[in-house]
Amino acid sequence: MKNKKQSILLMLMLNVVCVFSQSGKATDLALGREHLLMDFGWRFSLGHAKDFAKDFGTGTAYFTHFAKAGYGDGAAAPAFKDSAWREVDLPHDWAVELPFSGSASHSHGYKTIGWKYPETSVGWYRKKFNLSASDLGRKISIQFDGIHRNSTVWVNGFYMGHEPSGYASSVYDITDYLNYGGENTVAVRVDASIEEGWYYEGAGIYRHVWLNKTNRLHVAQYGTFVTSETTVDKAELTIRTKVENQYAQRKNFTIEQTLLDANNQQVVSKKLEDISLNGNLDETYFQKINLDKPTLWSLENPYLYKLKTNIISEGKIVDSYTTNVGIRTVRFDPNLGFFLNGKNVKILGTNIHQDHAGVGTAIPDALQEFRIRKLKEMGSNAIRTSHNPPTPELLDACDRMGMLVMDENRLMGINREHFDLLERFMVRDRNHPSVVIWSVGNEEWAIESNEKGARITKTMQEFAQKLDSSRAFTVAVSGGWENGSGKTTQVMGYNYIVQGNIDEHHKNFPWQSGIGTEESNTIGTRGVYVDDKENGRMAASNRMPENVGTESGWKFYAVRPFLSGVFYWTGFDYRGEPNPLEWPAVNSQFGIIDLCGFPKDIFFYLKSWWGKEPVMHIMPHWNWKGSEGKPIKVTVYSNVEVVELLLNGKTLEKKTMEKNGHLEWNVNYKPGTLVAKGFVKGKLTVSEKIQTSDEPAKVELTADRMELNADGEDVAVITVRMNDKKNLLVPTANNEVTFTLNGPGKIIGVGNGDPASHEPEQLFGHEQWKRKAFNGLAQIIVKTTKQGGEITLTASSEGMTSMILKLNSKAAVIRPTTESITK
């Protein structure tokens, strides 16, 4: 094959452009490709993990779906009556709806789900959709971006398949099972009895579902992969395109590829003509495109081109596939760290799980952007998707917003199942410019520090390099760095500086780049300054282990150029793993930001040294009734040279700020105003004050966005503040707030960031939405419908002035859905 040499050369390339391949919005039917959202109008009910009768009798018929094709019984049968089931839209996490129990799983946040709770650990989903008669002859598949976990899928009673992992995208060819010109039924059984991770994972179809339609001659799903070589003002793109011919006979065709800029204007176009492909085969084709003065994708300017790939056969465009392209180069140097577009960049990262207050793992796309904005506000430029492949929408947002990603595999291993999961996730994600490094595993304690780990890591990397040789690979290792995976991984992933001697390891493995895949954060509860461990809360200045925290970690990484950067554990609090506490604590407190997205004090330490703007932050609050005259430790986070602290207008002391450090004073408490003034070269550049507040008197609402899209998917994240009569935040207020919503929207969740709260986060029917504030704050998430108009949210609390917030939900382009299909 004449392109074989090109294929080998491609695998050796180090300078790359990354793209993300999606069919994007549905195109004209004449083009043969549609990508339809299937998130709306599902029916849901709990089943049973052990009692077949309570699991709707599924699997008890004389012939089951394993015995005869099309014999799905019970809730898998098309004729099953599901009208009594609850209607839900996706994404959906039923675990977040369940109550807490001190007997439930510690690692998963004490929710009543898992092997102890068979009555709440299985969920069923069903959806009916129409299909046009004109679709006969096309290839049609159903795509699940993530189901947690152990899912089984039927279409029209036909068994499609089974996916054990809750983090794998799965696609089923349903072409031959469909009723063309009629109604079709999809049924999904989800069993969350056995945990896959050791943190809250939710339960259900918690990511998007799609119906894909193509011509039988088409670009394969995720079938484009673009790499590049760049010079000062030029780029050469090598485009790899996998085409599938699912006709029985040979087809002749042309591949036409056009690069469009961010304004949708053509930059360059090229054709690969006179191609012939036998029936029921696929082939990968290569061609090169050159462009002058390309705009590179960077953190400051995450510029995205579009590559439009047309398949032309018999004079007609039979398939059109759009790929977003971000041109950039990446490399890891063993002595100098990470380089983006030839520029040395320190990776300033956090680990995150897919979990948020109110909604659990079922995070709407707009909420992904909200969370990334919070991290960028701190100065962070990177995310590690611990410890699994993320939802594609997270990577889409990182591509658009300029955030680097370490994309992580779920489980290490070298057999068919392990490689299949690794291949699916890498082929899906390798086109995102934000993804700069792959992680093939995390803290595999049985192998990470022995020879088995070295062998498995080597074998996995060799397999993965066949899929993408443009990026480096790492493994996150928590000990025994020189004896196991640390001997063979391309980039050494250090989990915690206390676990070994990083300098010594670098000396012994000088060929190996390094990065901090996890590092200790200063853990604790937002707004808590005295340990209350019996009630599940810790002072915000705790370290685990002792004397190791955010500052010590950053001081270590900041002065070692050979270390590419660091990912703190974690960016946000998450449900489960409330270590070192137990019940009644139900959430972790490792986050720099709490579960709602409210920054903790340590957020401002990193903002001081990671960000570019002057920062001044004082902790703790100044409401200490009963402690008059007693010393209070006051901490200031800032990036100025000198800080002057004043109490009630009187200077206490000026202190010089150490680089990457903080300052402390012992101040005898007196109500009033505490002010910190920051000076650079003797000039006042920034100041901050905190004041003693009165009793809570007003409820204040502020939304992250006042204008929303009426597409049935957009959300507003609304902060609820408890203010006194002077509009000062009352940092100790825990008042209960009730919410009333009117207009074309709905409340989908509430939270407050309290790691020991057992209040419900979701309500159904006609119950009154309510939530207690925690240390002055709470959060409510409002989702739009598909109708435009004014959404009015009223928040009230006994004895306090209420507030009304008005949001504008404007008419918007709605993503094509299966609801738009007519017979």
Side-chain angles (χ1 to χ4, degrees):
M1 174 179 151
K2 68 177 182 179
N3 287 320
K4 185 175 182 181
K5 185 176 180 181
Q6 288 176 292
S7 177
I8 295 171
L9 289 173
L10 176 66
M11 287 301 180
L12 295 175
M13 287 182 178
L14 294 177
N15 291 334
V16 302
V17 57
C18 293
V19 303
F20 57 89
S21 302
Q22 295 180 321
S23 56
K25 297 178 181 178
T27 58
D28 189 291
L29 287 178
L31 302 181
R33 180 178 293 271
E34 292 181 90
H35 189 58
L36 304 176
L37 190 66
M38 293 188 73
D39 283 2
F40 301 104
W42 290 75
R43 293 283 181 173
F44 170 77
S45 179
L46 291 173
H48 203 283
K50 294 182 178 180
D51 190 327
F52 279 73
K54 293 179 180 178
D55 203 38
F56 308 106
T58 310
T60 64
Y62 187 85
F63 292 116
T64 70
H65 61 276
F66 284 129
K68 299 284 186 180
Y71 272 69
D73 63 331
F80 178 83
K81 302 297 183 183
D82 58 18
S83 57
W85 289 14
R86 176 159 60 97
E87 186 169 337
V88 299
D89 292 335
L90 307 181
H92 176 243
D93 172 9
W94 88 73
V96 77
E97 305 168 1
L98 298 175
F100 298 92
S101 169
S103 300
S105 170
H106 169 86
S107 68
H108 281 58
Y110 294 98
K111 284 289 188 176
T112 49
I113 193 169
W115 64 270
K116 293 181 182 178
Y117 304 94
E119 68 281 2
T120 55
S121 296
V122 167
W124 279 89
Y125 295 84
R126 287 172 55 89
K127 179 178 173 63
K128 296 184 182 297
F129 64 97
N130 293 322
L131 208 60
S132 171
S134 63
D135 285 326
L136 184 62
R138 302 167 82 183
K139 292 298 290 188
I140 301 177
S141 63
I142 189 169
Q143 171 186 332
F144 297 89
D145 286 344
I147 307 173
H148 196 82
R149 59 172 292 276
N150 199 22
S151 60
T152 307
V153 178
W154 295 263
V155 171
N156 293 332
F158 289 89
Y159 169 65
M160 296 294 101
H162 169 246
E163 176 52 64
S165 177
Y167 303 104
S169 296
S170 52
V171 180
Y172 301 103
D173 183 348
I174 61 176
T175 305
D176 297 337
Y177 303 113
L178 294 169
N179 300 317
Y180 294 90
E183 185 179 75
N184 297 273
T185 303
V186 56
V188 183
R189 184 182 187 270
V190 187
D191 189 344
S193 299
I194 299 176
E195 300 167 351
E196 187 171 356
W198 51 96
Y199 38 84
Y200 178 84
E201 300 179 279
I205 308 178
Y206 71 108
R207 295 179 180 175
H208 293 305
V209 180
W210 307 90
L211 188 72
N212 298 322
K213 303 179 184 181
T214 66
N215 189 285
R216 287 178 179 264
L217 178 66
H218 60 266
V219 178
Q221 186 177 38
Y222 312 120
T224 53
F225 184 34
V226 183
T227 58
S228 75
E229 290 183 340
T230 63
T231 59
V232 175
D233 58 355
K234 294 182 183 295
E236 182 181 67
L237 308 186
T238 300
I239 307 169
R240 178 168 61 180
T241 306
K242 182 179 180 181
V243 177
E244 296 177 339
N245 177 17
Q246 294 176 327
Y247 286 101
Q249 60 272 76
R250 173 187 290 269
K251 287 291 180 180
N252 300 315
F253 59 95
T254 294
I255 299 175
E256 177 187 64
Q257 293 181 309
T258 303
L259 192 70
L260 306 173
D261 65 18
N263 295 317
N264 219 33
Q265 298 299 305
Q266 179 175 317
V267 178
V268 63
S269 185
K270 195 170 183 180
K271 291 182 180 180
L272 191 62
E273 300 181 292
D274 300 324
I275 305 172
S276 182
L277 182 61
N278 286 333
N280 294 312
L281 291 178
D282 61 70
E283 185 61 86
T284 298
Y285 303 92
F286 296 83
Q287 69 172 331
K288 293 181 181 293
I289 288 180
N290 294 293
L291 62 156
D292 296 327
K293 298 180 180 179
T295 302
L296 301 184
W297 185 95
S298 66
L299 297 174
E300 299 78 17
N301 180 28
Y303 191 92
L304 295 173
Y305 293 89
K306 287 186 177 67
L307 178 70
K308 186 175 182 180
T309 300
N310 289 335
I311 306 298
I312 304 170
S313 184
E314 299 177 0
K316 297 179 181 179
I317 298 176
V318 296
D319 189 34
S320 186
Y321 190 84
T322 300
T323 304
N324 283 6
V325 177
I327 301 174
R328 55 95 176 119
T329 64
V330 296
R331 69 181 174 92
F332 285 83
D333 185 281
N335 296 311
L336 300 174
F338 173 70
F339 287 80
L340 177 65
N341 300 325
K343 177 184 176 182
N344 190 220
V345 174
K346 200 75 167 182
I347 292 175
L348 312 174
T350 65
N351 290 266
I352 63 169
H353 289 313
Q354 183 169 326
D355 185 14
H356 193 88
V359 296
T361 58
I363 297 181
D365 297 351
L367 187 54
Q368 300 281 9
E369 291 195 3
F370 169 86
R371 288 161 62 86
I372 294 171
R373 284 198 302 271
K374 285 293 180 182
L375 295 172
K376 287 178 70 71
E377 181 185 327
M378 181 178 70
S380 175
N381 63 19
I383 287 170
R384 177 182 175 219
T385 67
S386 46
H387 299 292
N388 50 261
T391 184
E393 285 68 31
L394 175 69
L395 300 183
D396 290 344
C398 289
D399 290 340
R400 292 191 304 270
M401 300 172 72
M403 183 69 98
L404 307 176
V405 176
M406 177 185 286
D407 205 355
E408 188 152 273
N409 180 49
R410 171 70 288 276
L411 186 65
M412 294 186 73
I414 61 167
N415 288 301
R416 181 176 178 179
E417 183 173 345
H418 301 106
F419 282 166
D420 177 60
L421 289 170
L422 184 62
E423 181 171 4
R424 275 190 276 161
F425 124 78
M426 285 185 62
V427 170
R428 187 197 72 174
D429 293 354
R430 66 185 176 180
N431 303 313
H432 288 271
S434 58
V435 177
V436 297
I437 186 171
W438 302 107
S439 170
V440 299
N442 171 74
E443 289 190 358
E444 295 282 7
W445 292 333
I447 62 172
E448 68 175 3
S449 59
N450 58 46
E451 193 58 37
K452 290 187 180 71
R455 294 197 297 261
I456 291 171
T457 298
K458 182 176 182 292
T459 302
M460 290 187 75
Q461 282 182 163
E462 289 172 351
F463 173 83
Q465 281 183 299
K466 298 175 185 177
L467 305 171
D468 180 17
S469 62
S470 69
R471 298 175 179 87
F473 296 85
T474 188
V475 179
V477 184
S478 60
W481 295 335
E482 300 194 10
N483 300 316
S485 295
K487 292 166 57 177
T488 55
T489 184
Q490 291 178 353
V491 178
M492 179 62 202
Y494 299 106
N495 275 15
Y496 306 103
I497 58 178
V498 297
Q499 296 296 95
N501 189 325
I502 291 178
D503 292 328
E504 186 68 19
H505 183 268
H506 178 60
K507 178 181 177 181
N508 293 335
F509 294 83
W511 56 269
Q512 196 175 55
S513 301
I515 191 167
T517 37
E518 290 180 26
E519 192 48 64
S520 298
N521 180 37
T522 302
I523 66 173
T525 310
R526 174 185 55 80
V528 172
Y529 301 100
V530 178
D531 279 342
D532 184 17
K533 295 182 180 181
E534 289 186 0
N535 291 309
R537 303 176 186 102
M538 294 187 294
S541 57
N542 272 271
R543 270 82 163 160
M544 194 178 81
E546 190 68 26
N547 297 322
V548 176
T550 313
E551 184 173 324
S552 59
W554 176 237
K555 285 180 174 178
F556 183 91
Y557 279 91
V559 298
R560 287 168 170 79
F562 71 87
L563 291 172
S564 302
V566 63
F567 293 89
Y568 278 102
W569 190 265
T570 51
F572 295 85
D573 284 348
Y574 55 95
R575 293 172 178 81
E577 281 200 304
N579 306 324
L581 307 183
E582 296 181 342
W583 178 268
V586 295
N587 297 347
S588 84
Q589 300 182 45
F590 301 119
I592 298 164
I593 304 169
D594 75 11
L595 192 63
C596 290
F598 299 135
K600 301 180 187 179
D601 294 296
I602 198 64
F603 174 99
F604 297 95
Y605 168 78
L606 288 175
K607 185 175 183 179
S608 296
W609 301 112
W610 284 5
K612 298 178 181 179
E613 301 298 322
V615 175
M616 184 66 70
H617 178 76
I618 308 169
M619 65 175 282
H621 58 72
W622 210 238
N623 278 38
W624 297 99
K625 186 176 181 180
S627 296
E628 287 77 6
K630 296 180 181 178
I632 302 289
K633 185 174 79 170
V634 174
T635 299
V636 168
Y637 295 129
S638 183
N639 49 9
V640 297
E641 295 174 353
V642 174
V643 176
E644 179 184 12
L645 192 68
L646 303 91
L647 177 60
N648 296 331
K650 182 180 179 181
T651 296
L652 300 178
E653 187 179 1
K654 284 187 177 181
K655 292 190 177 185
T656 300
M657 178 69 72
E658 173 194 5
K659 184 178 181 180
N660 297 320
H662 71 280
L663 294 174
E664 295 179 0
W665 288 259
N666 282 317
V667 180
N668 292 331
Y669 177 66
K670 184 177 182 180
T673 302
L674 195 63
V675 176
K677 296 181 178 181
F679 299 86
V680 176
K681 296 181 180 179
K683 184 178 180 180
L684 178 66
T685 60
V686 63
S687 65
E688 175 75 2
K689 69 177 179 181
I690 57 174
Q691 297 175 260
T692 307
S693 62
D694 293 327
E695 293 299 313
K698 303 177 181 179
V699 181
E700 180 185 46
L701 299 175
T702 55
D704 69 319
R705 293 155 59 227
M706 297 298 292
E707 190 170 86
L708 306 174
N709 294 316
D711 57 6
E713 299 183 74
D714 205 3
V715 299
V717 184
I718 299 166
T719 297
V720 185
R721 278 175 50 114
M722 303 289 103
N723 291 346
D724 68 6
K725 59 187 178 182
K726 297 178 182 178
N727 290 323
L728 296 175
L729 173 70
V730 183
T732 56
N734 297 321
N735 306 61
E736 185 175 79
V737 184
T738 59
F739 304 98
T740 303
L741 188 78
N742 292 298
K746 58 183 178 180
I747 299 170
I748 62 170
V750 291
N752 62 14
D754 180 1
S757 174
H758 301 160
E759 296 176 86
E761 295 180 82
Q762 296 190 353
L763 298 174
F764 309 100
H766 300 288
E767 297 177 83
Q768 177 72 58
W769 282 90
K770 57 186 177 181
R771 186 70 168 186
K772 288 182 179 177
F774 177 66
N775 289 337
L777 299 174
Q779 185 177 88
I780 183 166
I781 302 173
V782 173
K783 187 177 182 181
T784 63
T785 66
K786 294 180 182 179
Q787 295 181 336
E790 187 175 76
I791 301 172
T792 302
L793 177 68
T794 303
S796 58
S797 184
E798 185 176 355
M800 299 175 64
T801 301
S802 301
M803 180 173 176
I804 298 175
L805 178 71
K806 295 182 179 180
L807 304 172
N808 178 31
S809 182
K810 60 182 177 65
V813 175
I814 297 174
R815 289 199 279 195
T817 69
T818 50
E819 281 68 35
S820 62
I821 300 175
T822 58
K823 300 179 185 179

